[in-house]
Amino acid sequence: MDISEIIDPLNPAQREAVTAESGNRLVLAGAGSGKTRVLVHRVAWLIRVEQAPPWAILAVTFTNKAAREMKARIEEILATPIGGMWVGTFHGLANRFLRAHWQEAGLPHSFQILDADDQYRLIRRTLKALELDEARWPPRRAMGFVNQCKDEGLRPRHLDDEGDPYRKRMIAIYREYQSACERGGLVDFGELLLRAHEVLREQAAVRHQYQERFAHILVDEFQDTNAIQYAWLRLLSGDHDNLFLVGDDDQSIYGWRGARVENIQSFQKDYANTTVVRLEQNYRSTGNILTVANALIAHNPSRLGKRLWTNDGAGEPVRQFAAFNELDEARFVIERIRQHIQVDGYRRDECAILYRTTAQSRLFEEVLIQAEIPYRVYGGLRFFERAEIRDALAYLRLVANPDDDAAFERAVNTPPRGLGPRTLDLLRDQARAAGTSLWRAARDQLEREALAPRAAKALRAFVALIEQQRARSDRPLAALAADLLVATDLPGFYLKGKDDRGQDRVENLEQLVDTVARFEAETSEDEGDAGDRLASFLAHAALEAGEAQADPDADGVQLMTLHSAKGLEFPIVFLVGLEERLFPHSLSLDDPRRLEEERRLCYVGMTRAMHQLYLTHAEKRHLHGKETYPQPSRFLREMPTEPVESVRGSRAQSRPTPQRHGQEADDGLRLGQRVCHPTFGEGVVLDCEGRGASARVQVNFADAGTKWLVLAYAKLAPAAQ
């Protein structure tokens, strides 16, 4: 029997995992260590060497794409089809199981699966049936409650309201929603796993059938399993000791959506006879990148432990840049990208900018557009295409032109005002008959008192809001935008949604105010009155939301959140915004478990880099609509100093627009002068700019690297000669 094609491509640790005898195996696969290869070759080994029939193998992946690729690679190695093998996602496999056992599951033969949008619409109908106001009981919040309960394996009958009126109402919504699903023969994603688990738990004959069938159960990305998924696996395996689990507790970053890192951390306690294999040889990153990443993740106390290494040499040092502000940071990053493209020969899509929150992408997009460098926002919408930004822009468009029907349609019931479809249909019919705009039709209906009292009250409040803002539209654009957010309560609306994007959406709205302010500052000398400036900004926003982004397959710089970067790799990575309260995020600072997940997220971001890793932070940043002076992230302090090199930006590209460059600062400090700082020690003055309260200097400190300091607060003194 020729097994060379199976084992020859493997290193010793991979070979140990692939050729292991029967028994539970936990393969701790570090970033870039070849975990997919191990899974593929393990299945090939089971079929060819151990003569396991394909139908006796169950392989769980986390995406359908990964399942297809795994099956194709197995068939390529074996040079034969593997029909009968169950390979797919948890939800896909649960669906396959329920299709075969619909009667035992109490489902109709042709049950329908609800996707997320379908589920959301059914939740809304449920709220209407219970006569609940969506403003008080947001559908997204109710949907999140239902899904969380199902992920934990809980039915309404298992829940106790604990004397909490809010929880009592949520349980009632869950109960009514589930009744609607039962009446319609509908199954949402959470129900797939929960119903399959219940059949396996309660139907001994069915459970025994599958425990005997699946002699080998393999699971990818085990660190991302939730409670019901782990319980499902335990029922399928029974006491057969046939689990082969591949995962990395250091890359568990989805706790906010139900993943439990405890599953992988406690697996050896649940299964005492488990053998652990560590895959620590990394085939992606240079030695210096791994040294810094290893040092960072070592600060998590509850990890299982491993240390990545490579045979490919140390490579370039990890480079750290301290920017004066977020614009300085963006200009530095884009200038370095330009250098890597033009000088080093990298493609644009080999450069990635990773950030903690979606709002951070806006400034990088702006500078990339100015530099005429194509880009792509991976796994998300560009800034001006995001729903919350388009909602806010709709109000600005109505202030500029109340006859804008598209803006009226978007804004009139966002946030919900109690204007029902009948009222809106009436306005549309009136506008169509009179050949006028929805705005004029609304005013006409109010003047003629043609609407029901409740609808009239809601519509009158909306019209008054727009008119008040129009009456004060001669004020600065940033003030107009900020006042509109307060008057409309769009931030509160999105926070009440309680979905996993609510906080991000609020930060994006705050970032919009900063964007408007920057636009006004840059164009105030070129534009006329405030109305012209507002129209100009709206045109700018419309054009930026156009074709500047690269096509998915085009050669464009990659922009993405750190969560979106999981599973990807790039030759050059810029990990930006490494500041306290931004990364780690402010919501994690008081929760040790959340802080550990933030550190894992940073580790994931760093280990996306193949050849070059940049770490940047700003000493001044507009955050949540305010100017802040953040501390550098604790993650930077947790990294070793030897493989990290502090770098200076190119003055032409990475400097903020200067008010004055001079040979001497306001307090008499000169370029080239040695100074002393109470925290950073001794350094040399490299540059100075600004006057008065905004005067600042750039100092290269021997130990702390290059920093921009505001003179009013820096407490610099001439160094002793």
Side-chain angles (χ1 to χ4, degrees):
M1 179 185 299
D2 183 10
I3 60 172
S4 58
E5 193 172 359
I6 298 177
I7 65 173
D8 283 357
L10 307 176
N11 65 36
Q14 292 171 338
R15 188 173 301 181
E16 178 187 354
V18 165
T19 63
E21 296 180 357
S22 60
N24 293 320
R25 292 289 184 276
L26 177 59
V27 181
L28 293 179
S33 64
K35 69 175 180 63
T36 304
R37 173 177 293 181
V38 165
L39 282 165
V40 167
H41 286 246
R42 174 63 175 175
V43 174
W45 175 272
L46 291 173
I47 294 174
R48 177 170 292 177
V49 179
E50 299 194 10
Q51 300 296 300
W55 51 261
I57 299 173
L58 174 72
V60 185
T61 64
F62 260 75
T63 67
N64 292 313
K65 179 182 177 183
R68 290 191 298 269
E69 291 176 351
M70 175 183 287
K71 186 174 182 180
R73 289 175 62 177
I74 294 168
E75 291 179 340
E76 182 181 358
I77 293 174
L78 297 177
T80 183
I82 52 170
M85 175 177 166
W86 279 33
V87 54
T89 65
F90 276 106
H91 294 111
L93 295 172
N95 174 57
R96 184 171 180 175
F97 174 85
L98 291 175
R99 294 294 174 189
H101 299 282
W102 55 274
Q103 289 177 309
E104 294 92 333
L107 292 170
H109 181 263
S110 57
F111 68 85
Q112 298 296 308
I113 298 176
L114 294 172
D115 63 17
D117 288 338
D118 292 332
Q119 185 188 19
Y120 177 76
R121 286 193 288 269
L122 183 53
I123 288 283
R124 292 191 66 187
R125 291 199 294 271
T126 300
L127 294 173
K128 185 175 182 180
L130 293 173
E131 299 182 344
L132 296 176
D133 184 358
E134 288 188 14
R136 291 193 58 198
W137 305 97
R140 293 288 178 193
R141 185 188 303 178
M143 183 172 163
F145 178 83
V146 170
N147 291 340
Q148 182 181 3
C149 289
K150 292 191 176 187
D151 286 347
E152 296 294 326
L154 300 173
R155 295 291 188 189
R157 65 179 180 273
H158 300 140
L159 301 173
D160 183 353
D161 62 31
E162 302 169 356
D164 182 351
Y166 167 81
R167 183 173 172 83
K168 182 177 182 180
R169 181 67 71 184
M170 281 296 179
I171 295 171
I173 294 171
Y174 181 11
R175 183 181 298 108
E176 179 63 26
Y177 163 79
Q178 194 58 41
S179 295
C181 288
E182 298 286 349
R183 290 193 300 270
L186 304 173
V187 176
D188 58 42
F189 289 146
E191 184 72 17
L192 284 171
L193 278 170
L194 178 53
R195 189 70 65 109
H197 176 262
E198 289 172 342
V199 172
L200 288 169
R201 184 186 64 203
E202 298 164 9
Q203 304 280 342
V206 176
R207 181 172 67 251
H208 180 74
Q209 173 188 343
Y210 283 90
Q211 287 176 347
E212 291 302 310
R213 171 177 179 164
F214 292 128
H216 305 279
I217 299 175
L218 302 90
V219 183
D220 191 12
E221 304 285 8
F222 181 62
Q223 78 280 351
D224 292 330
T225 52
N226 61 28
I228 195 67
Q229 289 165 347
Y230 187 32
W232 190 71
L233 288 171
R234 297 189 71 174
L235 281 176
L236 276 177
S237 64
D239 56 2
H240 285 66
D241 290 340
N242 59 352
L243 291 171
F244 187 93
L245 310 177
V246 180
D248 183 5
D249 58 319
D250 290 335
Q251 295 188 76
S252 179
I253 59 174
Y254 298 118
W256 47 275
R257 68 183 190 194
R260 294 170 50 127
V261 69
E262 297 86 356
N263 290 347
I264 191 170
Q265 291 174 341
S266 63
F267 183 74
Q268 291 171 270
K269 298 177 183 177
D270 297 335
Y271 293 85
N273 57 343
T274 296
T275 300
V276 177
V277 179
R278 287 175 168 80
L279 304 185
E280 298 175 305
Q281 183 174 358
N282 178 280
Y283 294 94
R284 175 188 299 152
S285 305
T286 64
N288 282 334
I289 293 172
L290 297 180
T291 296
V292 176
N294 284 330
L296 171 72
I297 200 63
H299 286 79
N300 272 3
S302 58
R303 60 192 293 261
L304 295 172
K306 64 186 169 310
R307 187 170 185 83
L308 299 180
W309 59 274
T310 181
N311 279 329
D312 293 337
E316 293 289 318
V318 174
R319 294 189 165 93
Q320 181 179 337
F321 177 68
F324 170 66
N325 59 20
E326 66 266 40
L327 180 58
D328 190 26
E329 178 185 49
R331 287 175 168 168
F332 167 80
V333 169
I334 276 51
E335 174 58 19
R336 282 297 171 114
I337 288 175
R338 187 196 297 277
Q339 291 175 10
H340 284 302
I341 293 169
Q342 296 179 351
V343 178
D344 301 329
Y346 286 95
R347 297 193 313 272
R348 288 183 287 263
D349 63 358
E350 293 180 317
C351 304
I353 303 171
L354 311 183
Y355 37 80
R356 178 61 181 85
T357 66
T358 58
Q360 290 172 261
S361 76
R362 198 271 316 162
L363 195 53
F364 291 99
E365 292 182 51
E366 183 177 301
V367 178
L368 282 163
I369 290 171
Q370 293 171 354
E372 298 182 342
I373 298 176
Y375 68 94
R376 177 192 178 203
V377 179
Y378 184 94
L381 296 172
R382 302 172 75 248
F383 184 78
F384 285 112
E385 295 173 339
R386 292 166 183 157
E388 62 273 18
I389 300 302
R390 293 172 71 89
D391 290 340
L393 290 176
Y395 281 98
L396 287 172
R397 285 164 55 188
L398 284 177
V399 171
N401 175 20
D403 293 323
D404 185 335
D405 279 356
F408 185 97
E409 288 267 14
R410 188 174 189 102
V412 69
N413 226 15
T414 306
R417 293 184 169 82
L419 290 168
R422 185 176 300 176
T423 301
L424 295 178
D425 285 340
L426 177 65
L427 293 180
R428 294 185 189 105
D429 292 342
Q430 175 73 18
R432 190 179 304 112
T436 187
S437 67
L438 289 169
W439 172 264
R440 296 177 189 274
R443 290 177 59 100
D444 178 70
Q445 292 292 302
L446 291 173
E447 289 172 1
R448 293 194 295 110
E449 298 183 350
L451 299 174
R454 181 179 177 183
K457 180 180 179 181
L459 188 60
R460 186 172 288 110
F462 174 73
V463 169
L465 185 155
I466 300 300
E467 289 180 337
Q468 289 168 4
Q469 298 301 319
R470 282 176 56 78
R472 303 175 58 216
S473 61
D474 58 345
R475 61 198 189 279
L477 294 186
L480 171 61
D483 288 351
L484 266 172
L485 293 183
V486 173
T488 61
D489 195 30
L490 281 172
F493 166 61
Y494 279 112
L495 280 179
K496 289 175 185 175
K498 290 294 183 182
D499 64 9
D500 53 304
R501 295 178 295 170
Q503 186 62 39
D504 278 348
R505 284 171 167 167
V506 172
E507 291 173 3
N508 286 338
L509 289 172
E510 292 165 344
Q511 187 69 34
L512 177 64
V513 177
D514 295 335
T515 301
V516 172
R518 187 182 304 281
F519 175 85
E520 187 169 38
E522 293 174 352
T523 61
S524 58
E525 296 179 359
D526 303 323
E527 302 293 340
D529 61 24
D532 291 336
R533 293 198 300 276
L534 176 56
S536 180
F537 171 76
L538 292 171
H540 164 75
L543 290 172
E544 268 213 10
E547 300 178 355
Q549 175 173 299
D551 293 331
D553 298 323
D555 179 17
V557 174
Q558 307 291 299
L559 278 69
M560 66 192 71
T561 65
L562 285 149
H563 285 99
S564 297
K566 178 75 161 56
L568 303 176
E569 60 182 32
F570 305 94
I572 300 170
V573 167
F574 295 84
L575 209 169
V576 302
L578 278 158
E579 299 144 28
E580 289 291 298
R581 307 190 69 79
L582 182 58
F583 193 30
H585 198 279
S586 58
L587 297 178
S588 70
L589 297 183
D590 297 327
D591 186 337
R593 294 177 62 184
R594 281 191 170 187
L595 188 57
E596 285 193 30
E597 183 159 314
E598 289 285 294
R599 189 175 286 109
R600 292 194 294 268
L601 186 59
C602 187
Y603 173 82
V604 166
M606 295 168 68
T607 54
R608 301 310 94 195
M610 301 166 66
H611 305 155
Q612 180 68 75
L613 173 64
Y614 290 86
L615 309 170
T616 71
H617 66 97
E619 296 175 355
K620 182 175 74 171
R621 183 180 297 275
H622 284 83
L623 190 63
H624 308 314
K626 299 178 181 178
E627 188 173 278
T628 63
Y629 293 86
Q631 291 292 317
S633 171
R634 69 190 67 196
F635 300 153
L636 292 173
R637 299 193 298 273
E638 293 171 354
M639 300 175 191
T641 57
E642 186 175 340
V644 180
E645 173 186 282
S646 294
V647 296
R648 296 168 56 188
S650 165
R651 185 173 301 174
Q653 293 294 330
S654 68
R655 298 289 308 111
T657 303
Q659 297 174 354
R660 173 182 67 89
H661 282 291
Q663 297 297 312
E664 186 173 291
D666 274 7
D667 64 351
L669 296 177
R670 304 180 310 279
L671 298 187
Q673 182 177 357
R674 296 194 63 81
V675 294
C676 186
H677 186 275
T679 301
F680 304 131
E682 288 196 8
V684 177
V685 177
L686 300 178
D687 201 355
C688 53
E689 64 177 40
R691 289 187 180 277
S694 64
R696 48 195 178 268
V697 293
Q698 186 185 41
V699 182
N700 184 20
F701 294 100
D703 295 326
T706 302
K707 295 184 178 295
W708 277 95
L709 304 173
V710 179
L711 279 174
Y713 307 103
K715 298 181 181 179
L716 291 174
Q721 300 296 322

